């Protein structure tokens, strides 16, 4: 049976990613001063405007305007002719303290007031469900479609910044469709690249250079054949981009941030949230657990779903789906996960050391499977324990 599957990614100059990076830069600066900062920070951007909104409680202080401008500059919006640049953008803020009702739920877990276990005393910052996923398809332990989509977007930024393709501008997108036959990866069926560019570049030259210096640089030639289709700037022109071309919002690329559509999404965004928010921290822990389960040989694919109630430390439910690849039944694998991984928010924060300024670097090119940065939820330090089960 033939099956096609597609994942997409965007560059750091995409309007939504500009917002993610501003939000996570604010979070990092606050955690650096006060590791117990409570941050729920969202950014909106459009032509000539950045608006930062949300709830923050902290002992630290940052200039949100300065952080926003510096982030925009680092991304590459430093030229007024782009219609959006760090010097001329207006930065507005609307920040209040964290709701005392939410703080109460986090600081005093409702069901465990008499518990002596410190991890029982910190509740989840909200209700909701999260998912973690891993597979043995790639060394990143992710589906190859999302691995290639993220690497293509990152390559667009690299060749722009190092001058290899100096006519590139910050905004861009990638999309990769792969073909499976009877469940086995066979080939790359198509690649789509849309990249913002200087108006002086001729379209045929642009397409030729993107194919040679971006697509073929990233994708292993063994997956390319005479029927692989390349679509580079298929509309023919992409001069107006970034927040000049489209509005942006924190948390609007949650599928690209995670598993490229291959696994479920609970709907909660990562960026701009401190680790008491289980949308972020529990998603990281679920990935950590799934990756260790696969790496240990207990299954070839692993999806872990977890549900929480606000103010309650222990998850309401945990399940494992091995998609028929498990060494044991999914019920047995679920019990193994429950016995070996602690999904209470405070336990997650301690295990993964999440009260650190490590988040800005996750705000573009994916939160999982990264080979350019070291992330604690990507460690496989439970493998030896799991192998002995």
């Amino acid at each position: 049976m033939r099956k096609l599957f597609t994942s997409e990614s965007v560059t750091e100059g995409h309007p939504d990613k500009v917002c993610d990076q501003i939000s996570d830069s604010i979070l990092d600066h606050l955690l650096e001063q006060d590791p117990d900062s409570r941050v729920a920070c969202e950014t909106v951007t459009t032509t000539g405007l950045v608006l930062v909104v949300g709830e923050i409680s902290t002992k630290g202080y940052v200039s949100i305007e300065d952080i926003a401008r510096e982030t925009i500059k680092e991304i590459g919006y430093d030229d007024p002719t782009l219609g959006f640049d760090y010097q001329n953008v207006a930065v507005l803020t609307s920040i209040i303290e964290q709701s005392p009702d939410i703080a109460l739920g986090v600081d005093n877990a409702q069901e465990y007031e008499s518990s002596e276990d410190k991890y029982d005393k910190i509740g989840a910052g909200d209700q909701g469900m999260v998912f973690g996923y891993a597979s043995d398809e790639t060394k990143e332990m992710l589906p190859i479609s999302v691995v290639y989509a993220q690497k293509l977007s990152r390559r667009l930024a690299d060749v722009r910044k190092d001058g290899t393709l100096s006519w590139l501008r910050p905004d861009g997108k990638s999309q990769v469709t792969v073909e499976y036959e009877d469940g086995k990866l066979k080939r790359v069926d198509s690649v789509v690249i849309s990249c913002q560019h200087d108006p002086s570049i001729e379209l045929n030259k642009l397409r030729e250079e993107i194919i040679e210096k971006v697509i073929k640089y990233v994708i292993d030639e063994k997956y390319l054949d005479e029927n692989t289709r390349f679509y580079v700037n298929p509309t023919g022109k992409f001069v107006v981009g970034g927040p000049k071309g489209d509005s942006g919002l924190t948390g609007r690329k949650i599928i690209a941030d995670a598993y490229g559509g291959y696994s479920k999404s609970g709907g909660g965004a990562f960026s701009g949230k401190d680790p008491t928010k289980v949308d972020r921290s529990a998603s990281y822990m679920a990935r950590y657990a799934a990756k260790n389960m696969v790496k240990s040989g207990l299954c070839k694919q692993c999806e872990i779903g977890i549900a929480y109630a606000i103010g309650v430390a222990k998850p309401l439910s945990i399940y494992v789906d091995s998609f028929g690849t498990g060494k044991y039944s999914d019920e047995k694998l679920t019990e193994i996960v429950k016995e070996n991984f602690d999904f209470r928010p405070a336990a997650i924060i301690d295990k993964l050391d999440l009260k650190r300024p490590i988040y800005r670097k996750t705000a573009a090119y994916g939160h999982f499977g990264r080979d350019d940065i070291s992330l604690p939820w990507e460690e496989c330090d439970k493998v030896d324990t799991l192998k002995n089960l």
Side-chain angles (χ1 to χ4, degrees), residues 41 65 73 76 161 270 309 345:
C41 176
E65 179 180 350
K73 180 181 180 182
K161 291 178 177 180
F270 303 147

Side-chain angles (χ1 to χ4, degrees), residues 95-119:
I95 300 292
I96 61 174
E97 289 189 357
Q98 184 183 53
S99 161
D101 296 342
I102 294 175
L104 179 66
V106 174
D107 295 333
N108 299 283
Q110 296 169 7
E111 293 188 357
Y112 308 102
E113 291 181 1
S114 62
S115 175
E116 295 300 316
D117 190 333
K118 66 178 182 177
Y119 293 150

Side-chain angles (χ1 to χ4, degrees), residues 15 28 80 109 119 137 142 161 165 169 206 243 268 309 315 365 385:
D28 276 359
Y119 293 150
E137 185 172 300
L142 292 172
K161 291 178 177 180
L165 300 180
R169 289 176 169 177
L206 179 152
Y365 312 119
T385 299

Side-chain angles (χ1 to χ4, degrees), residues 167 197 200-212 232-233 236:
W167 41 264
H197 59 86
S200 64
I201 185 71
E202 196 268 330
L203 181 60
N204 286 337
K205 179 175 176 57
L206 179 152
R207 287 174 170 165
E208 177 184 327
E209 294 209 25
I210 291 293
I211 290 171
E212 292 302 320
V232 179
N233 283 19

Side-chain angles (χ1 to χ4, degrees), residues 32-190:
E32 192 170 22
Q33 299 175 56
D34 177 11
D36 292 316
S37 294
R38 299 287 170 78
V39 180
C41 176
E42 297 183 354
T43 303
V44 183
T45 186
T46 186
T47 305
L49 175 66
V50 167
L51 172 62
V52 181
V53 302
E55 302 81 44
I56 296 176
S57 294
T58 183
K59 295 176 182 176
Y61 170 78
V62 298
S63 169
I64 290 176
E65 179 180 350
D66 289 348
I67 291 172
R69 292 187 190 280
E70 183 61 28
T71 303
I72 293 166
K73 180 181 180 182
E74 290 173 358
I75 290 169
Y77 287 111
D78 55 4
D79 182 353
T81 64
L82 296 179
F84 181 86
D85 73 284
Y86 76 101
Q87 290 180 306
N88 296 298
V89 68
V91 180
L92 305 179
T93 62
S94 179
I95 300 292
I96 61 174
E97 289 189 357
Q98 184 183 53
S99 161
D101 296 342
I102 294 175
L104 179 66
V106 174
D107 295 333
N108 299 283
Q110 296 169 7
E111 293 188 357
Y112 308 102
E113 291 181 1
S114 62
S115 175
E116 295 300 316
D117 190 333
K118 66 178 182 177
Y119 293 150
D120 281 338
K121 298 182 183 298
I122 304 298
D126 202 351
Q127 70 178 45
M129 59 280 191
V130 301
F131 298 91
Y133 177 82
S135 78
D136 65 356
E137 185 172 300
T138 63
K139 66 181 179 62
E140 294 85 0
M141 302 188 75
L142 292 172
I144 200 168
S145 56
V146 72
V147 170
Y148 276 153
Q150 299 286 19
K151 288 187 174 183
L152 286 168
S153 291
R154 198 161 76 227
R155 177 65 178 169
L156 284 173
D158 290 344
V159 294
R160 169 175 61 88
K161 291 178 177 180
D162 68 17
T164 300
L165 300 180
S166 59
W167 41 264
L168 277 172
R169 289 176 169 177
D171 199 357
K173 288 185 174 184
S174 65
Q175 183 172 288
V176 178
T177 300
V178 297
E179 180 181 340
Y180 294 89
E181 191 171 280
D182 297 327
K184 300 293 185 182
L185 175 64
K186 184 178 180 183
R187 56 187 290 274
V188 171
D189 182 75
S190 65

Side-chain angles (χ1 to χ4, degrees), residues 134-136 141 289-304 320-341 382-389:
S135 78
D136 65 356
M141 302 188 75
K291 189 173 182 182
N292 276 270
M293 292 288 284
V294 172
K295 190 74 171 178
S296 69
L298 289 173
C299 46
K300 293 180 177 297
Q301 290 187 69
C302 184
E303 180 182 80
I304 299 175
V320 171
D321 187 348
S322 67
F323 306 92
T325 69
K327 181 178 178 182
Y328 307 113
S329 69
D330 286 349
E331 291 79 7
K332 174 66 174 177
L333 294 176
T334 299
E335 290 306 311
I336 290 172
V337 166
K338 289 179 178 179
E339 291 168 5
N340 288 275
F341 300 92
K382 282 274 193 178
V383 168
D384 288 342
T385 299
L386 296 173
K387 278 183 175 179
N388 293 324
L389 298 178

Side-chain angles (χ1 to χ4, degrees), residues 152 155 191-193 207 209-220 224 228-232:
L152 286 168
R155 177 65 178 169
V191 179
V192 182
I193 297 285
R207 287 174 170 165
E209 294 209 25
I210 291 293
I211 290 171
E212 292 302 320
K213 296 179 181 178
V214 177
I215 297 175
K216 291 185 177 179
Y217 180 91
V218 168
I219 296 180
D220 193 322
L224 302 176
T228 300
R229 296 165 292 167
F230 300 140
Y231 298 96
V232 179

